[in-house]
Amino acid sequence: MRVTVFTEPHRGADYDDQLRFARLAEDGGFEAFFRADHYQAMGDDPALPGPTDAWLTLAALARETSRIRLGTLVTSATFRLPGPLAVMVAQVDQMSGGRVELGIGAGWYAREHLSYGIPFPGTTERFDRLAEQLEVITGLWGTPSGETFSFTGQHYRLTEAPALPKPVQTPGPPVIVGGRGPKRTPELAARYADEFNVPFTGVTQTAEAYERVREAGDRVDRAGTGRPPLVLSAGIVVAIGRTDAEARRRAAPLHAKSALPPEDPVVGSPEQLVDRIGEFAAIGTERVHLRLIDFEDLDHLELIAAEVLPRLDGVR
């Protein structure tokens, strides 16, 4: 089982907070440090000191870490044009020596768009734009050196792009597409992604989503293209402790008012988290993204590294 740390700096974290957390995750044996890509907190708390840009942060972390993989869950397709985003991610991949992953989605949080003047079209158009972004980004990365890439879509048009710079990873950094949507999300994942992620819900719902993406893979004949099967991953909200009181303290922020959809957290002991990961493994999950809320709570991260990661060998 591959285990990553997923963080939400929009809840209140500066760059130094994220660097400290990423380095501790690296030292603790986690595979990756992922962060959300949001420009505003989702409750009434202003979440001081305010937001940090995801890709600017990951570029800096790429130079200040050495082993841990780095990525977004997920970059919003509304925030950046696909051509410059492909350049940006390829550059960070170079800066990291090939340790970057791009999680990308259609965008959903209207409030941050309104706050920062970012256009926020309707759901259908956002997914149409996401589909074109995926085609453009993977097309730019996959274009052989010395050749150009052109694309004409409803929302984006590229004419003889030099398709540079090239990322270290070939044909490009892994692309993650995920969500709970029943139709377009599985199809986009099957067509363009390397990993399909189901975020922060129960095992049964996750298994149903996996079945939908497998069916989508059959429809688009993913196997016929020679691409490997999708990595299946799940997000887990985590609040564990050495005692029940410690776990409840860590779970307290989960009860705050938020724009997020209902979640299924693990609140309790390290053993309970190991058991939940085992349940996900039994339905085919190959990677879990553990969402930790408090950047100041380094003990939480260390507890998982010491009491959970060593127990996952052979979990299936």
Side-chain angles (χ1 to χ4, degrees):
M1 179 63 70
R2 301 161 58 191
V3 184
T4 80
V5 173
F6 170 64
T7 63
E8 296 182 316
H10 57 274
R11 290 177 178 267
D14 61 17
Y15 173 72
D16 288 336
D17 294 326
Q18 295 171 73
L19 174 61
R20 181 172 59 249
F21 216 74
R23 283 178 166 169
L24 190 60
E26 183 171 68
D27 292 343
F30 292 89
E31 182 194 35
F33 172 89
F34 278 79
R35 57 155 289 163
D37 187 6
H38 284 292
Y39 288 123
Q40 193 164 353
M42 295 171 189
D44 296 329
D45 189 329
L48 298 177
T52 52
D53 181 81
W55 285 102
L56 183 61
T57 299
L58 294 177
L61 293 177
R63 306 302 286 183
E64 298 200 77
T65 57
S66 59
R67 179 197 61 79
I68 200 164
R69 297 188 66 79
L70 304 165
T72 51
L73 280 177
V74 292
T75 284
S76 174
T78 57
F79 289 172
R80 304 168 185 88
L81 297 171
L85 179 59
V87 171
M88 191 181 308
V89 178
Q91 181 181 354
V92 180
D93 196 50
Q94 289 183 354
M95 294 169 68
S96 69
R99 293 184 284 126
V100 162
E101 304 185 31
L102 171 63
I104 186 168
W108 64 274
Y109 189 36
R111 179 180 171 186
E112 64 187 335
H113 292 76
L114 179 64
S115 294
Y116 286 97
I118 303 168
F120 188 69
T123 302
T124 297
E125 181 177 332
R126 294 201 310 276
F127 272 90
D128 290 344
R129 287 180 178 271
L130 172 61
E132 290 189 17
Q133 289 216 1
L134 285 162
E135 187 169 352
V136 167
I137 292 167
T138 57
L140 286 168
W141 290 341
T143 297
S145 296
E147 298 184 15
T148 61
F149 175 82
S150 296
F151 174 84
T152 300
Q154 183 179 356
H155 302 286
Y156 307 106
R157 180 171 181 173
L158 288 74
T159 303
E160 296 183 353
L164 296 172
K166 293 301 181 194
V168 172
Q169 300 174 89
T170 56
V175 173
I176 305 169
V177 171
R180 306 182 192 181
K183 296 180 180 179
R184 297 200 69 180
T185 298
E187 180 181 344
L188 290 173
R191 192 178 298 276
Y192 296 107
D194 301 283
E195 177 176 328
F196 176 68
N197 175 255
V198 183
F200 315 120
T201 190
V203 175
T204 299
Q205 295 90 335
T206 300
E208 292 169 352
Y210 289 168
E211 184 58 31
R212 290 193 294 267
V213 82
R214 291 187 185 102
E215 292 171 354
D218 292 339
R219 288 195 300 272
V220 304
D221 192 22
R222 181 183 175 96
T225 66
R227 299 186 65 194
L230 279 164
V231 172
L232 300 176
S233 69
I236 307 176
V237 181
V238 176
I240 65 170
R242 297 172 183 83
T243 65
D244 289 343
E246 187 175 80
R248 287 195 299 270
R249 172 178 61 79
R250 288 179 169 139
L254 302 177
H255 304 299
K257 181 181 177 182
S258 172
L260 291 168
E263 299 170 330
D264 187 15
V266 175
V267 179
S269 66
E271 292 78 9
Q272 287 174 275
L273 179 55
V274 171
D275 289 344
R276 178 70 63 85
I277 292 173
E279 292 171 0
F280 276 113
I283 63 168
T285 303
E286 300 165 79
R287 192 186 207 191
V288 289
H289 302 276
L290 306 182
R291 193 179 97 197
L292 305 182
I293 292 174
D294 187 357
F295 275 94
E296 297 296 323
D297 190 358
L298 301 181
D299 180 65
H300 198 192
L301 185 65
E302 292 176 326
L303 175 62
I304 297 170
E307 300 294 334
V308 175
L309 295 189
R311 304 184 191 187
L312 298 181
D313 292 342
V315 169
R316 279 296 168 201

CSV table of all heavy atoms in Angstrom, one decimal, residues 254-280:
chain,number,residue,atom,x,y,z
A,254,LEU,N,-13.2,18.9,12.4
A,254,LEU,CA,-14.1,18.2,11.4
A,254,LEU,C,-15.5,18.6,11.6
A,254,LEU,O,-16.3,18.4,10.7
A,254,LEU,CB,-13.9,16.7,11.5
A,254,LEU,CG,-12.5,16.1,11.3
A,254,LEU,CD1,-12.5,14.6,11.5
A,254,LEU,CD2,-12.0,16.5,10.0
A,255,HIS,N,-15.9,19.1,12.8
A,255,HIS,CA,-17.3,19.5,13.1
A,255,HIS,C,-17.6,20.9,12.7
A,255,HIS,O,-18.7,21.4,12.8
A,255,HIS,CB,-17.6,19.2,14.5
A,255,HIS,CG,-17.3,17.8,15.0
A,255,HIS,ND1,-17.9,16.7,14.4
A,255,HIS,CD2,-16.4,17.3,15.9
A,255,HIS,CE1,-17.5,15.6,15.0
A,255,HIS,NE2,-16.6,16.0,15.9
A,256,ALA,N,-16.6,21.7,12.3
A,256,ALA,CA,-16.8,23.1,11.9
A,256,ALA,C,-17.6,23.2,10.6
A,256,ALA,O,-17.5,22.3,9.8
A,256,ALA,CB,-15.5,23.8,11.8
A,257,LYS,N,-18.4,24.2,10.5
A,257,LYS,CA,-19.2,24.5,9.3
A,257,LYS,C,-18.2,24.6,8.1
A,257,LYS,O,-17.2,25.3,8.1
A,257,LYS,CB,-20.0,25.7,9.5
A,257,LYS,CG,-20.9,26.0,8.3
A,257,LYS,CD,-21.6,27.3,8.5
A,257,LYS,CE,-22.5,27.7,7.3
A,257,LYS,NZ,-23.2,29.0,7.5
A,258,SER,N,-18.6,23.9,7.0
A,258,SER,CA,-17.7,23.9,5.8
A,258,SER,C,-18.6,23.7,4.6
A,258,SER,O,-19.7,23.1,4.6
A,258,SER,CB,-16.7,22.8,6.0
A,258,SER,OG,-15.9,22.6,4.8
A,259,ALA,N,-18.0,24.1,3.4
A,259,ALA,CA,-18.6,23.8,2.2
A,259,ALA,C,-18.4,22.4,1.6
A,259,ALA,O,-18.9,22.1,0.6
A,259,ALA,CB,-18.2,24.9,1.1
A,260,LEU,N,-17.5,21.7,2.3
A,260,LEU,CA,-17.2,20.3,1.8
A,260,LEU,C,-18.4,19.4,1.9
A,260,LEU,O,-19.2,19.5,2.8
A,260,LEU,CB,-16.0,19.8,2.6
A,260,LEU,CG,-14.7,20.4,2.4
A,260,LEU,CD1,-13.7,20.0,3.5
A,260,LEU,CD2,-14.1,20.1,1.1
A,261,PRO,N,-18.4,18.4,1.0
A,261,PRO,CA,-19.5,17.4,1.1
A,261,PRO,C,-19.3,16.5,2.3
A,261,PRO,O,-18.2,16.5,2.9
A,261,PRO,CB,-19.4,16.6,-0.2
A,261,PRO,CG,-18.0,16.8,-0.6
A,261,PRO,CD,-17.6,18.2,-0.1
A,262,PRO,N,-20.3,15.7,2.7
A,262,PRO,CA,-20.1,14.7,3.9
A,262,PRO,C,-18.9,13.8,3.7
A,262,PRO,O,-18.6,13.4,2.6
A,262,PRO,CB,-21.4,14.0,3.9
A,262,PRO,CG,-22.4,14.9,3.2
A,262,PRO,CD,-21.6,15.6,2.2
A,263,GLU,N,-18.2,13.5,4.8
A,263,GLU,CA,-17.0,12.7,4.7
A,263,GLU,C,-17.1,11.5,5.7
A,263,GLU,O,-18.0,11.5,6.6
A,263,GLU,CB,-15.8,13.5,5.0
A,263,GLU,CG,-15.6,14.6,4.0
A,263,GLU,CD,-14.5,15.6,4.3
A,263,GLU,OE1,-14.3,15.8,5.6
A,263,GLU,OE2,-13.9,16.2,3.4
A,264,ASP,N,-16.2,10.6,5.6
A,264,ASP,CA,-16.2,9.4,6.5
A,264,ASP,C,-14.8,9.3,7.1
A,264,ASP,O,-14.0,8.5,6.7
A,264,ASP,CB,-16.5,8.1,5.6
A,264,ASP,CG,-16.7,6.9,6.5
A,264,ASP,OD1,-16.9,7.1,7.7
A,264,ASP,OD2,-16.7,5.8,6.0
A,265,PRO,N,-14.6,10.1,8.2
A,265,PRO,CA,-13.3,10.1,8.8
A,265,PRO,C,-13.0,8.9,9.6
A,265,PRO,O,-13.9,8.2,10.1
A,265,PRO,CB,-13.3,11.4,9.7
A,265,PRO,CG,-14.7,11.5,10.0
A,265,PRO,CD,-15.5,11.0,8.9
A,266,VAL,N,-11.7,8.6,9.9
A,266,VAL,CA,-11.2,7.6,10.9
A,266,VAL,C,-10.8,8.4,12.1
A,266,VAL,O,-9.9,9.1,12.1
A,266,VAL,CB,-10.1,6.8,10.3
A,266,VAL,CG1,-9.5,5.9,11.5
A,266,VAL,CG2,-10.4,6.0,9.1
A,267,VAL,N,-11.6,8.3,13.2
A,267,VAL,CA,-11.4,8.9,14.4
A,267,VAL,C,-11.2,7.8,15.5
A,267,VAL,O,-12.1,7.0,15.7
A,267,VAL,CB,-12.5,9.8,14.8
A,267,VAL,CG1,-12.2,10.5,16.2
A,267,VAL,CG2,-12.8,10.9,13.8
A,268,GLY,N,-10.0,7.7,16.0
A,268,GLY,CA,-9.7,6.7,17.0
A,268,GLY,C,-8.3,6.4,17.1
A,268,GLY,O,-7.4,7.3,17.2
A,269,SER,N,-7.9,5.1,17.1
A,269,SER,CA,-6.6,4.6,17.4
A,269,SER,C,-5.8,4.3,16.1
A,269,SER,O,-6.4,4.2,15.0
A,269,SER,CB,-6.6,3.3,18.2
A,269,SER,OG,-7.2,2.3,17.4
A,270,PRO,N,-4.5,4.2,16.2
A,270,PRO,CA,-3.7,3.8,15.0
A,270,PRO,C,-4.2,2.5,14.4
A,270,PRO,O,-4.3,2.3,13.2
A,270,PRO,CB,-2.3,3.6,15.5
A,270,PRO,CG,-2.2,4.6,16.7
A,270,PRO,CD,-3.6,4.5,17.3
A,271,GLU,N,-4.7,1.5,15.3
A,271,GLU,CA,-5.2,0.3,14.8
A,271,GLU,C,-6.4,0.4,13.9
A,271,GLU,O,-6.6,-0.3,12.9
A,271,GLU,CB,-5.5,-0.7,16.0
A,271,GLU,CG,-4.3,-1.2,16.8
A,271,GLU,CD,-3.7,-0.1,17.7
A,271,GLU,OE1,-4.4,1.0,17.9
A,271,GLU,OE2,-2.6,-0.3,18.3
A,272,GLN,N,-7.3,1.4,14.3
A,272,GLN,CA,-8.5,1.6,13.5
A,272,GLN,C,-8.1,2.2,12.1
A,272,GLN,O,-8.8,1.8,11.1
A,272,GLN,CB,-9.4,2.6,14.2
A,272,GLN,CG,-10.1,2.0,15.4
A,272,GLN,CD,-10.9,3.0,16.2
A,272,GLN,OE1,-10.3,3.7,17.1
A,272,GLN,NE2,-12.2,3.1,15.9
A,273,LEU,N,-7.1,3.0,12.0
A,273,LEU,CA,-6.6,3.4,10.7
A,273,LEU,C,-6.1,2.3,9.9
A,273,LEU,O,-6.3,2.2,8.7
A,273,LEU,CB,-5.6,4.6,10.9
A,273,LEU,CG,-5.1,5.1,9.5
A,273,LEU,CD1,-6.2,5.6,8.6
A,273,LEU,CD2,-4.1,6.3,9.9
A,274,VAL,N,-5.3,1.4,10.5
A,274,VAL,CA,-4.7,0.3,9.8
A,274,VAL,C,-5.9,-0.6,9.3
A,274,VAL,O,-5.8,-1.1,8.1
A,274,VAL,CB,-3.8,-0.5,10.7
A,274,VAL,CG1,-3.4,-1.9,10.1
A,274,VAL,CG2,-2.5,0.3,11.1
A,275,ASP,N,-6.9,-0.8,10.1
A,275,ASP,CA,-8.0,-1.6,9.7
A,275,ASP,C,-8.8,-1.0,8.5
A,275,ASP,O,-9.1,-1.7,7.6
A,275,ASP,CB,-9.0,-1.8,10.8
A,275,ASP,CG,-8.5,-2.7,11.9
A,275,ASP,OD1,-7.5,-3.4,11.7
A,275,ASP,OD2,-9.0,-2.7,13.1
A,276,ARG,N,-9.0,0.3,8.5
A,276,ARG,CA,-9.6,1.0,7.4
A,276,ARG,C,-8.8,0.9,6.1
A,276,ARG,O,-9.4,0.7,5.1
A,276,ARG,CB,-9.9,2.5,7.8
A,276,ARG,CG,-10.6,3.3,6.7
A,276,ARG,CD,-12.0,2.9,6.4
A,276,ARG,NE,-12.8,3.2,7.6
A,276,ARG,CZ,-13.4,4.4,7.9
A,276,ARG,NH1,-13.2,5.4,7.0
A,276,ARG,NH2,-14.1,4.6,9.0
A,277,ILE,N,-7.5,1.1,6.3
A,277,ILE,CA,-6.7,1.0,5.1
A,277,ILE,C,-6.8,-0.5,4.5
A,277,ILE,O,-6.8,-0.7,3.3
A,277,ILE,CB,-5.2,1.3,5.4
A,277,ILE,CG1,-5.2,2.9,5.7
A,277,ILE,CG2,-4.3,1.0,4.2
A,277,ILE,CD1,-3.8,3.3,6.2
A,278,GLY,N,-6.8,-1.5,5.4
A,278,GLY,CA,-7.0,-2.8,5.0
A,278,GLY,C,-8.3,-3.0,4.2
A,278,GLY,O,-8.4,-3.8,3.3
A,279,GLU,N,-9.4,-2.4,4.7
A,279,GLU,CA,-10.7,-2.5,4.0
A,279,GLU,C,-10.6,-1.9,2.6
A,279,GLU,O,-11.2,-2.4,1.7
A,279,GLU,CB,-11.8,-1.8,4.8
A,279,GLU,CG,-12.1,-2.5,6.2
A,279,GLU,CD,-13.0,-1.6,7.0
A,279,GLU,OE1,-13.4,-0.5,6.6
A,279,GLU,OE2,-13.3,-2.1,8.2
A,280,PHE,N,-9.9,-0.8,2.5
A,280,PHE,CA,-9.7,-0.2,1.2
A,280,PHE,C,-8.9,-1.1,0.3
A,280,PHE,O,-9.2,-1.2,-0.9
A,280,PHE,CB,-9.1,1.2,1.3
A,280,PHE,CG,-10.1,2.3,1.5
A,280,PHE,CD1,-10.1,3.0,2.7
A,280,PHE,CD2,-11.1,2.6,0.6
A,280,PHE,CE1,-11.1,4.0,3.0
A,280,PHE,CE2,-12.0,3.6,0.8
A,280,PHE,CZ,-12.0,4.3,2.0
